[in-house]
Amino acid sequence: MPRRRLRAFLHGRPRARSLRTTFAVSFAAVAAAVTVLVGFLSYDAAARLVRVDQQAVFDEVVTDLRQQVKDTELTPYDFASGDPDHDGPRDDLIRPARTDVQVLGPGGRIVDRGSPQLPVNAADRRTADEAHAGVTEEADGAETGGSRRDVEIRGDAYRMTAVSLGGGRGAVQVAQEFSDTEDLLRELQQRTGLLAGSVIIAAGLVGWWLARRITGRLVRLAEAAEDVAGTGHLDVRVPVTGGDEVGSLGRSFDRMLGRLARSMEDQRRLVQDAGHELRTPLTSLRTNISLLRRIEDLPPATREELIADLAQESRELTDLVNELVELAAGKEDDEPVVEVALAETAEDTAVLARRRTGRTVVVRSRGDTVIRGRPSSLQRAVSNLVENAAKFDSDGTEPIEIVVTGGLPDGVRVEVLDRGPGIAASDLDRVFDRFYRAPAARSLPGSGLGLSIVQEVAAAHGGVPFAQGRDGGGAAIGFTVRGVPEERD
């Protein structure tokens, strides 16, 4: 028993009908419905056509006989079966419709028997004594529309009528067998049923074969999903063959596994990097706390330095933890998306930066700077850029500039300009990595997460970060954003 069936059996779960069986049953059901409908309509049309045709031939024979006896005075012996040339009136009746003819004399007496002999009733006798030629009287039990009636002779079904010869000379009975036609139609019905059954079986087999081709890849895809769920390994080979929906599903599943693998790798790396970064302030705090045990023995200047160091380390540790939490949850931000004017965001950030750092911060903007975005995230990104500039240009005298430019092909551009030591060419590609700190910045306070948060915010708003040196010294660091796209129903 396969592993999945065994698990379902042991856990008491009923097995769902497979997609392959559903395909086969669906094909067979559709084929059955179409075949039965077409077969029924075809048989009904064919049966109706054959019956109407036979009836039309019989009515034509009767009409010709009536016209003949009206035009020519004929006697019962003119319809006798002994004509050696087979060109008499009787032969004209028999030839076109395989009819049986029986001749009656006055009073309904049988003059020339038919083969087989036809029954004679009261209506036939009245017709034989009729004075006018070509009369067909209404018969007992006859169908509507004349004296035509259905009779059974020797187990066979016939339609029959009698036509008066006029002058009381007798009548001619004409009968047409239609039981052989019904036998033919019954055989056609049986063959239609057999054909319908064959088509249904063939449709079921074709549906099973086609479903096997389609569901084979789905089964392999389901097995890959079960392997991922059971083992937790994301390096599973996913079948992505084919250009149809199943192939597209396989490729989407493969991309999903790839993104999950990258996400898990990012989380692992984040934990490792965070552990590494947390060790430094925690070690320093532990050392300073051990000194507190003999703080009474320390000179006043050393005490002040120790307390200041503890305060600084605790602030850095708090900032690091806050940035780690924000970075880890950045992609799951539930802040609503609204219209944000980045020029106003830059002005608000400049006000806070002036109060915190005492530096002059200048804002310049031009163009339409409104986008759809998350205001707090965007303000944090701009604030990180300004704090980064103030940290590296702490002794600078020139103002820090925030330049916001709208209406560009790549959206709105935000950049912060400073006159600090600048960024080495070898560090330009890595300044936005998590926890990366250039050699010149390792002695400065900070977690190394500020610019990586800028990168996350820019990516969430359809943009990218950038960093470059400035002519005359300093750095220009910023990002471009297009805005969060509107969700469509």
Side-chain angles (χ1 to χ4, degrees):
M1 183 180 293
R3 184 175 57 186
R4 292 187 300 277
R5 297 182 184 178
L6 179 61
R7 286 202 299 266
F9 174 77
L10 291 177
H11 288 83
R13 293 177 296 183
R15 283 189 59 210
R17 187 171 62 181
S18 68
L19 186 60
R20 188 177 303 172
T21 303
T22 302
F23 263 104
V25 172
S26 300
F27 266 79
V30 172
V34 173
T35 304
V36 169
L37 179 62
V38 173
F40 172 77
L41 294 177
S42 300
Y43 170 78
D44 183 69
R48 188 184 302 275
L49 183 63
V50 170
R51 290 185 179 117
V52 169
D53 182 67
Q54 291 289 326
Q55 182 66 54
V57 171
F58 180 77
D59 291 343
E60 184 179 358
V61 169
V62 173
T63 301
D64 291 344
L65 174 61
R66 294 178 63 187
Q67 189 63 42
Q68 186 179 28
V69 298
K70 286 180 182 179
D71 295 342
T72 305
E73 186 176 316
L74 300 174
T75 66
Y77 299 100
D78 292 325
F79 291 90
S81 58
D83 185 4
D85 297 331
H86 300 289
D87 58 355
R90 183 190 185 99
D91 297 306
D92 293 337
L93 297 177
I94 296 174
R95 191 176 299 115
R98 304 190 310 278
T99 54
D100 184 18
V101 176
Q102 181 168 280
V103 184
L104 303 180
R109 175 177 55 85
I110 298 177
V111 176
D112 193 343
R113 289 184 177 84
S115 180
Q117 181 176 331
L118 304 180
V120 180
N121 62 11
D124 296 326
R125 295 186 185 94
R126 288 195 300 270
T127 302
D129 293 334
E130 179 64 43
H132 300 286
V135 173
T136 57
E137 293 187 6
E138 185 71 24
D140 297 337
E143 297 178 356
T144 58
S147 62
R148 182 178 70 248
R149 69 182 187 273
D150 295 339
V151 298
E152 184 175 341
I153 304 173
R154 299 177 184 176
D156 294 325
Y158 287 79
R159 60 172 59 92
M160 189 180 77
T161 191
V163 178
S164 170
L165 296 176
R169 294 189 298 274
V172 177
Q173 289 180 303
V174 180
Q176 181 189 53
E177 183 182 0
F178 62 86
S179 59
D180 57 346
T181 301
E182 295 301 322
D183 292 340
L184 176 63
L185 292 177
R186 277 193 294 273
E187 183 178 358
L188 176 61
Q189 187 179 34
Q190 293 174 354
R191 293 190 177 186
T192 302
L194 290 175
L195 179 61
S198 301
V199 170
I200 293 171
I201 294 173
L205 294 176
V206 171
W208 179 266
W209 172 80
L210 184 60
R212 183 168 183 169
R213 286 179 58 89
I214 294 174
T215 60
R217 289 175 293 162
L218 288 176
V219 169
R220 293 193 295 273
L221 190 59
E223 290 175 350
E226 286 191 1
D227 289 340
V228 172
T231 64
H233 296 157
L234 300 179
D235 55 345
V236 176
R237 183 173 180 82
V238 179
V240 294
T241 58
D244 54 4
E245 289 82 357
V246 179
S248 177
L249 176 62
R251 285 186 288 273
S252 298
F253 188 73
D254 192 47
R255 288 194 296 270
M256 180 190 69
L257 288 182
R259 294 197 63 178
L260 284 175
R262 289 192 296 272
S263 177
M264 290 184 65
E265 176 62 23
D266 289 342
Q267 291 181 3
R268 185 188 63 80
R269 188 158 47 86
L270 176 62
V271 171
Q272 290 178 346
D273 293 343
H276 175 75
E277 292 296 323
L278 286 170
R279 287 191 189 98
T280 300
L282 287 175
T283 300
S284 179
L285 282 173
R286 190 162 53 246
T287 301
N288 290 331
I289 290 172
S290 65
L291 291 175
L292 287 176
R293 298 178 184 275
R294 51 191 184 88
I295 191 171
E296 298 295 336
D297 300 332
L298 299 177
T302 305
R303 292 179 190 177
E304 294 296 331
E305 183 180 353
L306 176 60
I307 294 173
D309 193 31
L310 282 171
Q312 178 65 27
E313 293 292 349
S314 63
R315 281 195 300 271
E316 288 194 16
L317 185 60
T318 301
D319 292 341
L320 176 59
V321 171
N322 290 337
E323 289 181 339
L324 281 172
V325 172
E326 182 174 348
L327 188 62
K331 292 185 178 179
E332 300 176 354
D333 195 351
D334 294 331
E335 184 182 5
V337 177
V338 297
E339 298 289 334
V340 181
L342 288 176
E344 296 179 5
T345 300
E347 291 286 359
D348 295 339
T349 303
V351 171
L352 292 175
R354 294 185 193 109
R355 185 170 65 246
R356 290 175 179 175
T357 65
R359 296 288 302 277
T360 301
V361 182
V362 178
V363 178
R364 292 187 285 111
S365 65
R366 58 179 178 273
D368 183 9
T369 64
V370 177
I371 65 165
R372 282 175 47 83
R374 297 181 174 89
S376 296
S377 297
L378 291 167
Q379 185 166 7
R380 181 59 187 272
V382 179
S383 178
N384 284 359
L385 292 176
V386 175
E387 290 177 3
N388 187 74
K391 179 174 65 176
F392 283 92
D393 191 18
S394 58
D395 298 329
T397 57
E398 294 190 24
I400 298 172
E401 299 180 43
I402 306 176
V403 181
V404 185
T405 308
L408 299 176
D410 51 357
V412 179
R413 180 185 179 94
V414 179
E415 59 183 334
V416 175
L417 310 176
D418 65 66
R419 287 298 181 184
I423 303 175
S426 59
D427 295 328
L428 288 175
D429 296 333
R430 302 190 59 191
V431 293
F432 294 101
D433 292 347
R434 294 175 181 175
F435 301 108
Y436 179 76
R437 302 176 74 185
R442 290 173 186 170
S443 61
L444 298 175
S447 63
L449 290 175
L451 293 185
S452 67
I453 292 176
V454 173
Q455 183 181 41
E456 296 287 346
V457 173
H461 290 78
V464 293
F466 60 86
Q468 59 193 23
R470 295 181 65 191
D471 294 338
I477 306 178
F479 58 88
T480 61
V481 284
R482 295 180 181 274
V484 179
E486 294 187 17
E487 295 183 359
R488 299 184 182 275
D489 297 335

